[in-house]
Amino acid sequence: MPDASRPTFGDLQIEMAHGAGGSASRRLLEGLLVPLLSNPALNALGDSAILDVNGQRLAFTCDSFVVKPLTFPGGSIGRLAVHGTLNDLLVSGALPVALLASFILEAGFPGEALRRHVEALAEAARGAGVPVVGGDTKVVENGKGDGLYITTSGIGIVRPGLRLGPDQVRPGDRVLLSGPFGDHGITILLARGEVDLEADLESDSRPLTPLVSALLEAVPEVRWMRDPTRGGLASALNELSQQSSLAVILEEKALPVRAPVRGACELLGLDPLQIANEGQFLAVVPPQQAELALDALRGAPGGEEAAMIGEIRESPAGLVIAETDYGGSRIVDMLIGDPLPRIC
Amino acid sequence: MPDASRPTFGDLQIEMAHGAGGSASRRLLEGLLVPLLSNPALNALGDSAILDVNGQRLAFTCDSFVVKPLTFPGGSIGRLAVHGTLNDLLVSGALPVALLASFILEAGFPGEALRRHVEALAEAARGAGVPVVGGDTKVVENGKGDGLYITTSGIGIVRPGLRLGPDQVRPGDRVLLSGPFGDHGITILLARGEVDLEADLESDSRPLTPLVSALLEAVPEVRWMRDPTRGGLASALNELSQQSSLAVILEEKALPVRAPVRGACELLGLDPLQIANEGQFLAVVPPQQAELALDALRGAPGGEEAAMIGEIRESPAGLVIAETDYGGSRIVDMLIGDPLPRIC
C-alpha cells in the first residue's frame, strides 16, 4: 500500500544533515533504504530488529560511531560504542547477550591511542556484563578517515511476554524520561572547542541496564521505550506521534534540563529537545501505572532525576506539542539540518 | 595460561598492513584486541562467534568494508558487504537468518551513487535469501572518509550436531578448495588502474550457500571450514596449522589458479596464495570422505573447479608447506606488509 506520508529521497548529494537524526536522516532511511531493503523486521523501524529464531524472540541491532573528538568529558568513542548498542537492545525490551566491534582505522593513528580506546570499550562492556565476542579491523589511508570509527552490533533476548511499539500506545498514557537531557550533545559541542563557552558538564553515556530493569520489573505493561540519541527527544517523540497517529503533549516545566545545557542552547539558538543523549530513555506507560513507574525509575541507581514529562492524547494526531505554564503551546519539530555534527 | 606464541602489540602507529589480514593484522588482533576483550567466544577466533542462546547455537559475525574502488568487475561494495558476512556465517556451519548494514557516508557523496550501492546490496541479500533487517547511517565531513564504508553484521543458526574447528582436524585429513583463487584481489588491483596491466578477470564475490550446503549434506563430518579472504589461502591455512599444531601440506600442481592471476602475480612479485578471495572456501574433511566431498562440491552450481589441494600431517607442526612436482618444497608464509590495500 503506498504511504503518502513516506518521504522520498531525491537528494543530489549526502550532507551532514543526513547523519543528524532529523528530517534528512528520515528521508534517507524511509525514502531510500527501507523501500530498497523492505522486509517486516526492517519496516518496523525500531531501535533493534526483532526476529523470531526458532520460536525465540531476538533483538538485533548495530550502530556506527564517528564521534569527534574521540575523547570528551564523561566518555570516549569506545564507551559510546558499547553503551549505544546496548541501550538500543535494552529499550527494545531485550536482555543483551553479546556485542561485536568493528574498527575502521586511519593509517598513522597512534598505537597507544588505539590501546586506550579499546581499553575503554572493554571496560564499558565488562561494566555492563556483556562480552564482545568478535569483530573486524580495517585500515584506510591517511586522510581517508578521522582516526577511528567503530561499529558495534548486538544481540539480545527479548523478555517473554513483552510487547513494545507505537501500536501499543493509547491516549491517556504517560510519558516518562529517565533523567536530564541534552548533556551529551552539548558536551561534545563544547569539547570541540569551536564555541567560546565553558560549562561543568559531561556526557551521559552509560548503560541503561539498571533503569530499564527497574522499570520493567515494576511495570511490565510498558507500551513503548526509546533512547533519544541523535535528533534528541524531539525526533524520538515525533517518530512516536507519527507512527502511532496520536499526539504527544509535553509539559514544558516538567522537562529536566541542566542549567549549563539550557544556557548553551539559549546562547547558540538550539532547542534542548533536539540535542542528543546517550544515557537516557523515554518510556510510555499506562496512566494507572505512571506513578509506580516513576517511583521505580527514581529508586534505581542513576534514575533519581527521572520525570513524568507529558502524556499521549488523540489530537493533534502526529504532532508533538509543548505546553507552557501560561497556557501557551508550541509545536516541537524534528531537527532540520545539523547544528551539531558527529556527536555519536 | 600465558601463551608464548601469542604476538604482542607494541606498534607505534597503525599502518596499512594492520588491515591486510597477514602478520600485522594478527598482531593487532591477538596482541591487543583479544587480550583486552578476552572471553571464550572471542578467543576461539573463528569466522563467526558461536554463542549458546537458551540452548540454541547461534553464529554472530561482522565485517567492515572499505574496498576501493567502490565498483569493480564482478561486484561492488554493496555486494561484497552482503557476501562477505554471509560467507562468514556459512563457513561457521550456520544457516544465515538476518543481516544488518551500517553506512558511514562522506559528505558530498552523490545521492545516485548511494542509491546504486544500496540497490546492489539489496539485490545481493535478496539473491541469497537473507533479509537486511536494520542498520545505521552516519555522515562524516568531506575529506574524512572515502565516499562510503559499509559494516555488515549477521546472525545464523548453527546446524545441529556440527562441530567445526581446528581442534577437530586430524593428521591424514584432506584439504579442499571450492575453486580458483586470487581472482578478487587481482581484480581490485587492476580496477584501481595503478598497474599497467589488463586481464579478463572479475571478482569471485558470491554467496557460498549452494557450495557449503552441498558439502555438508554429503559429508556432515567436515572438520573445519574457512573463507580465505584478506591474506588469502596462506593466512587461513597458517592459522589452521598454528591453531591445530599440525602441518598443512599443499600439492602445488593441484592449486587452481587462473592464468591472468598467475601472470599478474609473476609480474608484480606476489604470491597468489596471499591474494584475497571473496567467493571461495577451504574445507578439511576426513580422508575416507574426501572424494565424496569433492564430488559434492563439483556437482554444485559454481563448484565445477573445486579441487583437493593438500593434506594434514603431524609435522612440521604449525607450518604450511607447498610441495612441487619435482620433490621440492617451500614454506608458505603469512602475508607480511600489504601489497594490496583495501581489497575488501
Side-chain angles (χ1 to χ4, degrees):
Chain A
M1 192 172 68
D3 179 352
S5 74
R6 170 171 277 178
T8 55
F9 180 84
D11 303 28
L12 283 182
Q13 63 173 29
I14 294 299
E15 312 282 358
M16 296 306 292
H18 289 109
S23 58
S25 296
R26 186 170 166 237
R27 202 160 61 239
L28 172 58
L29 177 64
E30 296 185 37
L32 180 71
L33 295 165
V34 170
L36 287 175
L37 297 167
S38 184
N39 59 73
L42 175 68
N43 301 353
L45 292 176
D47 273 317
S48 308
I50 306 296
L51 304 171
D52 185 313
V53 177
N54 284 350
Q56 182 156 277
R57 282 199 304 156
L58 296 181
F60 187 28
T61 189
C62 73
D63 262 317
S64 290
F65 293 85
V66 300
V67 66
K68 185 182 173 182
L70 296 174
T71 303
F72 44 83
S76 65
I77 190 170
R79 270 174 71 83
L80 213 55
V82 166
H83 296 157
T85 291
L86 273 183
N87 290 346
D88 281 344
L89 293 174
L90 290 164
V91 297
S92 304
L95 296 165
V97 169
L99 296 176
L100 301 173
S102 192
F103 300 82
I104 297 177
L105 301 161
E106 185 184 5
F109 192 66
E112 268 314 301
L114 178 60
R115 180 183 298 276
R116 280 198 311 276
H117 288 297
V118 177
E119 279 169 354
L121 185 148
E123 193 190 312
R126 263 196 310 276
V130 180
V132 178
V133 296
D136 188 27
T137 51
K138 290 284 157 65
V139 180
V140 295
E141 293 88 354
N142 198 274
K144 296 296 183 187
D146 206 1
L148 170 61
Y149 301 142
I150 304 179
T151 301
T152 45
S153 327
I155 57 173
I157 303 173
V158 180
R159 289 169 189 250
L162 204 58
R163 293 284 160 203
L164 297 170
D167 56 323
Q168 305 294 313
V169 173
R170 302 282 174 270
D173 286 352
R174 297 296 194 271
V175 183
L176 303 182
L177 175 63
S178 57
F181 60 99
D183 292 11
H184 178 74
I186 298 299
T187 298
I188 300 296
L189 178 75
L190 299 183
R192 236 175 259 161
E194 292 162 7
V195 192
D196 191 16
L197 255 181
E198 281 186 35
D200 184 17
L201 197 64
E202 52 180 50
S203 166
D204 59 7
S205 178
R206 60 173 176 174
L208 289 168
T209 324
L211 292 170
V212 171
S213 294
L215 175 64
L216 290 178
E217 271 155 42
V219 180
E221 302 88 349
V222 170
R223 317 273 209 193
W224 176 91
M225 293 192 287
R226 178 147 276 188
D227 59 333
T229 54
R230 285 183 297 175
L233 269 67
S235 282
L237 293 174
N238 267 287
E239 282 172 27
L240 172 61
S241 67
Q242 287 163 26
Q243 290 169 1
S244 65
S245 298
L246 293 169
V248 177
I249 312 298
L250 299 176
E251 190 184 350
E252 191 95 57
K253 75 165 182 215
L255 293 169
V257 188
R258 293 188 207 282
V261 172
R262 191 180 297 282
C265 283
E266 277 172 12
L267 273 166
L268 300 166
L270 302 171
D271 183 346
L273 288 167
Q274 296 182 334
I275 305 296
N277 311 280
E278 289 291 340
Q280 304 299 348
F281 76 110
L282 290 156
V284 172
V285 298
Q288 315 84 292
Q289 271 103 31
E291 286 297 337
L292 186 60
L294 187 59
D295 287 347
L297 282 175
R298 286 186 173 162
E304 299 78 6
E305 296 173 86
M308 196 171 327
I309 62 169
E311 68 171 86
I312 305 296
R313 294 196 198 140
E314 288 215 31
S315 68
L319 292 182
V320 180
I321 305 287
E323 293 188 338
T324 66
D325 261 5
Y326 316 104
S329 70
R330 65 179 177 106
I331 294 176
V332 177
D333 275 325
M334 281 187 108
L335 182 66
I336 295 177
D338 189 3
L340 295 180
R342 297 182 55 187
I343 41 70
C344 61
Chain B
M1 191 172 68
D3 179 352
S5 74
R6 171 170 278 178
T8 54
F9 180 84
D11 304 29
L12 283 182
Q13 63 173 29
I14 295 298
E15 312 282 356
M16 295 307 291
H18 289 109
S23 57
S25 295
R26 188 171 166 237
R27 201 160 60 240
L28 172 58
L29 177 64
E30 296 184 38
L32 181 70
L33 295 165
V34 171
L36 287 175
L37 297 166
S38 184
N39 58 74
L42 176 69
N43 301 353
L45 292 176
D47 273 317
S48 308
I50 307 296
L51 303 172
D52 186 314
V53 177
N54 284 351
Q56 183 156 274
R57 282 197 304 157
L58 296 181
F60 187 28
T61 188
C62 72
D63 262 317
S64 289
F65 293 85
V66 300
V67 66
K68 185 182 174 183
L70 295 175
T71 302
F72 43 82
S76 65
I77 190 169
R79 270 175 71 82
L80 213 55
V82 167
H83 297 157
T85 291
L86 273 184
N87 290 346
D88 280 343
L89 293 175
L90 289 163
V91 297
S92 305
L95 296 165
V97 169
L99 296 176
L100 301 173
S102 192
F103 300 82
I104 298 178
L105 301 160
E106 185 185 3
F109 191 67
E112 268 314 301
L114 177 61
R115 180 183 297 276
R116 281 198 311 278
H117 288 297
V118 177
E119 279 170 353
L121 185 148
E123 193 191 312
R126 264 197 310 278
V130 180
V132 179
V133 296
D136 188 27
T137 51
K138 291 283 156 67
V139 180
V140 296
E141 294 88 355
N142 198 276
K144 297 296 184 188
D146 205 2
L148 171 61
Y149 301 141
I150 305 178
T151 301
T152 45
S153 328
I155 56 173
I157 303 173
V158 180
R159 291 169 188 249
L162 204 59
R163 293 285 160 202
L164 296 170
D167 56 323
Q168 305 293 313
V169 173
R170 302 283 175 268
D173 285 352
R174 297 295 194 273
V175 183
L176 304 182
L177 176 63
S178 58
F181 60 98
D183 292 13
H184 177 74
I186 298 298
T187 297
I188 300 295
L189 179 74
L190 299 182
R192 234 175 262 163
E194 292 162 8
V195 192
D196 190 17
L197 253 181
E198 280 187 35
D200 184 17
L201 196 65
E202 50 179 51
S203 166
D204 58 7
S205 178
R206 60 173 175 173
L208 289 168
T209 324
L211 292 170
V212 171
S213 294
L215 175 64
L216 290 178
E217 271 154 43
V219 180
E221 302 87 349
V222 170
R223 317 272 210 193
W224 175 92
M225 294 193 286
R226 179 148 275 190
D227 60 333
T229 53
R230 284 183 298 175
L233 269 67
S235 284
L237 292 174
N238 267 288
E239 283 172 25
L240 171 61
S241 66
Q242 287 164 25
Q243 289 169 0
S244 65
S245 299
L246 293 168
V248 178
I249 312 298
L250 299 176
E251 189 184 352
E252 191 94 56
K253 74 165 182 216
L255 293 169
V257 188
R258 293 189 208 280
V261 172
R262 191 180 297 283
C265 283
E266 277 172 11
L267 273 165
L268 300 167
L270 302 171
D271 183 346
L273 289 167
Q274 295 182 335
I275 306 296
N277 310 280
E278 289 291 340
Q280 304 298 349
F281 77 108
L282 291 156
V284 172
V285 299
Q288 314 84 290
Q289 272 103 31
E291 287 297 336
L292 184 61
L294 187 59
D295 288 348
L297 282 175
R298 286 185 174 162
E304 299 78 5
E305 297 174 88
M308 197 174 321
I309 62 168
E311 67 171 87
I312 305 296
R313 294 197 197 139
E314 287 216 30
S315 68
L319 290 183
V320 180
I321 305 288
E323 294 189 337
T324 67
D325 261 4
Y326 316 104
S329 70
R330 65 178 176 105
I331 293 177
V332 177
D333 274 325
M334 281 188 110
L335 181 66
I336 295 177
D338 189 5
L340 295 179
R342 295 181 57 185
I343 40 72
C344 61

